[in-house]
Amino acid sequence: MSLNVIDLIKGQLGPALVSQAASQFGESESGISKAIGGLLPAVVGGLANNADNPGVVDAITKASSSGILGNLLGGSSNNPIITTLLSSLFGDKIGGLVNSIASFSGISNNSAGSLLNLVTGATVGTVGKYAADNNLGASGISGLLNDQKGIISSLLPAGLSLASFGLGAENWFGQAKETVSSVTSTAKDNIAEGVATARENVNEGAREIREQFNNNNNDNQGGGSIWKWLLPLLLLIAAGYFLWKQCEKKQTTTTMASSTDSTGTSADTASATTPATTATPAAKTDENIDLNGVMLKGYKGGMEDQMIGFLKSGGYKNAADDAALKDKWYDFDHVNFKMGSSTELEAGSQGQLDNLVAILKAFPESKIKIGGYTDKTGNEASNVKLSQARADYIKAALAKAGVGAQVLGAEGYGSKFATVDAKASDAERAADRKMSVRFSK
């Protein structure tokens, strides 16, 4: 099964970046998320269509060492690699692509254009990093991009298509046009053959009737008047019969072929609908969370809201010991590490760490433990090491903020508690990659 690079890239376009982009561009988080969901398949499709273009492959190789992933919002707009690459991928279709995304997501054209640069930067940066990490040369990168051609259209959100961008499938992936032409030609040949066969059968039937008429007429010259009206009727019946049989035969064949095509179409539709749902989920919005009169920004029902509610209810105070607390973990909503890193947080993560510090200071008797988790992919020893390093990093950050005495421990569990299969998509496995906190005594 070929790698879906979109699953890799989504790790760079998480909720933290969506929130920051919405603030910077003056748009809603849902609009930004929806636009990214449409742009990502389009950009990957553009790369796939230019998989054998040396300039495109070279740009991806350079992006891996350019540091572009570390500054997507600030470094993508005027990056010469991205500007040149977009021109190679879309040419004079860039304006149509931007307009379509703006209309689809409800954001301005300027914001859509900026997001196109951002998504392109995230895409080439991620693919370039993957290529470097896996020692892929130019041919390996081309092969990886070529593998994406069969899935791009199915990943576009509902309401968008290559045609809506002015990028017909025949312009990108010419095989589709050739296939349609071949099918059309075959259908024409079948129809012509059916008509010719029907005509031949009708003529044969007519000859037999005329011969019978002539024989009867020779046997009985005086009774020929009945054939004056019977002959045309028999000819008409014969013609109708043979035409009906031929149409029935062709209809059966056509129905069987159509059923096969319909099944294929249904499968494509299903695969198109599912990613559309995952690509543009209902975006959560930060709200005011009351911490004894101080308002923290967080999700309703999110980590801060749940922890404050538990503390105010007396749940922590009334817990007999640590055993009563160990099964309830609170997942960080915004704290995310950069891909493969245990020391660099994504933009937007610090705010939630600050919220946790505020909660601990407001309830100085409370104590916590940090947990780090990974998905089931990769080497387990490495997963444990990475998750432990990330848990230690958060513990150290809290100590630096003055609440270290309230953090009793930090542990990396690797994939021990992962529930999603290693063969699932990256988006599905993301649920297992998290940092969490629980109360402790």
Side-chain angles (χ1 to χ4, degrees):
M1 183 178 179
S2 60
L3 174 71
N4 181 350
V5 300
I6 288 181
D7 287 340
L8 293 178
I9 302 163
K10 285 180 179 178
Q12 299 294 330
L13 303 172
L17 185 137
V18 169
S19 178
Q20 191 174 359
S23 176
Q24 181 169 318
F25 300 149
E27 305 284 358
S28 67
E29 289 189 16
S30 61
I32 295 295
S33 179
K34 196 172 183 181
I36 289 175
L39 283 168
L40 186 51
V43 172
V44 173
L47 290 174
N49 190 48
N50 289 271
D52 299 317
N53 184 329
V56 170
V57 174
D58 184 57
I60 292 174
T61 303
K62 290 179 179 178
S64 66
S65 57
S66 68
I68 194 170
L69 290 178
N71 188 23
L72 287 175
L73 274 171
S76 299
S77 298
N78 299 312
N79 190 302
I81 294 177
I82 295 176
T83 303
T84 303
L85 184 60
L86 283 173
S87 180
S88 298
L89 298 184
F90 301 110
D92 60 358
K93 305 294 185 182
I94 292 179
L97 173 59
V98 169
N99 288 337
S100 295
I101 291 295
S103 299
F104 169 71
S105 59
I107 64 176
S108 69
N109 278 33
N110 286 338
S111 296
S114 297
L115 283 177
L116 175 59
N117 287 333
L118 185 153
V119 170
T120 303
T123 300
V124 296
T126 301
V127 175
K129 184 179 186 303
Y130 177 86
D133 291 345
N134 291 273
N135 298 316
L136 297 183
S139 61
I141 294 175
S142 293
L144 177 63
L145 295 179
N146 272 313
D147 286 343
Q148 311 307 306
K149 289 183 177 180
I151 62 175
I152 297 305
S153 295
S154 67
L155 294 177
L156 285 168
L160 285 181
S161 65
L162 294 178
S164 67
F165 299 146
L167 304 168
E170 71 276 4
N171 295 328
W172 276 18
F173 314 128
Q175 183 180 3
K177 185 175 182 180
E178 294 173 7
T179 301
V180 171
S181 176
S182 175
V183 171
T184 303
S185 176
T186 302
K188 287 180 178 178
D189 291 343
N190 288 339
I191 292 172
E193 179 185 351
V195 171
T197 302
R199 184 184 296 115
E200 182 179 335
N201 289 335
V202 169
N203 290 337
E204 179 65 27
R207 282 195 298 272
E208 292 178 0
I209 292 173
R210 281 197 299 271
E211 290 175 2
Q212 183 64 36
F213 166 72
N214 290 333
N215 291 336
N216 287 339
N217 204 27
N218 290 333
D219 292 339
N220 186 8
Q221 293 292 331
S225 60
I226 189 174
W227 291 101
K228 293 180 181 180
W229 60 268
L230 185 57
L231 177 60
L233 178 61
L234 291 176
L235 284 172
L236 181 62
I237 293 174
Y241 173 77
F242 286 116
L243 282 174
W244 174 71
K245 292 299 289 182
Q246 290 301 318
C247 288
E248 183 183 51
K249 178 180 177 181
K250 294 302 176 184
Q251 184 178 14
T252 301
T253 304
T254 303
T255 302
M256 292 176 66
S258 298
S259 297
T260 304
D261 291 343
S262 296
T263 303
T265 303
S266 297
D268 289 343
T269 303
S271 63
T273 303
T274 303
T277 303
T278 58
T280 55
K284 293 182 179 179
T285 304
D286 282 338
E287 300 182 18
N288 288 328
I289 307 297
D290 183 15
L291 175 63
N292 300 334
V294 176
M295 295 300 165
L296 307 180
K297 286 293 183 180
Y299 293 151
K300 190 69 176 176
M303 187 191 81
E304 295 93 335
D305 195 20
Q306 291 187 56
M307 292 182 72
I308 293 171
F310 182 74
L311 290 167
K312 286 184 176 181
S313 71
Y316 181 81
K317 181 179 180 181
N318 296 328
D321 52 27
D322 191 63
L325 300 167
K326 68 178 184 178
D327 293 330
K328 177 58 179 174
W329 288 85
Y330 304 89
D331 296 339
F332 283 97
D333 305 300
H334 291 304
V335 175
N336 297 289
F337 285 86
K338 291 185 178 180
M339 187 181 298
S341 174
S342 61
T343 58
E344 292 183 276
L345 294 173
E346 286 188 3
S349 298
Q350 187 59 46
Q352 190 158 43
L353 289 179
D354 293 341
N355 286 350
L356 180 56
V357 171
I359 293 171
L360 293 175
K361 287 183 176 180
F363 296 88
E365 77 284 357
S366 63
K367 295 177 174 57
I368 62 170
K369 179 179 178 180
I370 306 297
Y373 306 85
T374 70
D375 61 26
K376 292 183 178 182
T377 60
N379 178 271
E380 181 58 15
S382 298
N383 286 341
V384 172
K385 182 179 179 180
L386 178 63
S387 60
Q388 182 65 58
R390 288 177 170 178
D392 289 337
Y393 178 90
I394 291 180
K395 181 182 178 182
L398 294 176
K400 187 176 180 180
V403 292
Q406 291 174 257
V407 184
L408 301 185
E411 185 170 355
Y413 298 100
S415 64
K416 181 178 179 180
F417 298 102
T419 59
V420 181
D421 190 275
K423 295 181 180 179
S425 69
D426 186 77
E428 292 171 314
R429 297 195 312 271
D432 288 332
R433 300 192 299 269
K434 60 190 177 183
M435 302 302 298
S436 303
V437 58
R438 75 168 175 87
F439 289 111
S440 181
K441 283 193 173 184

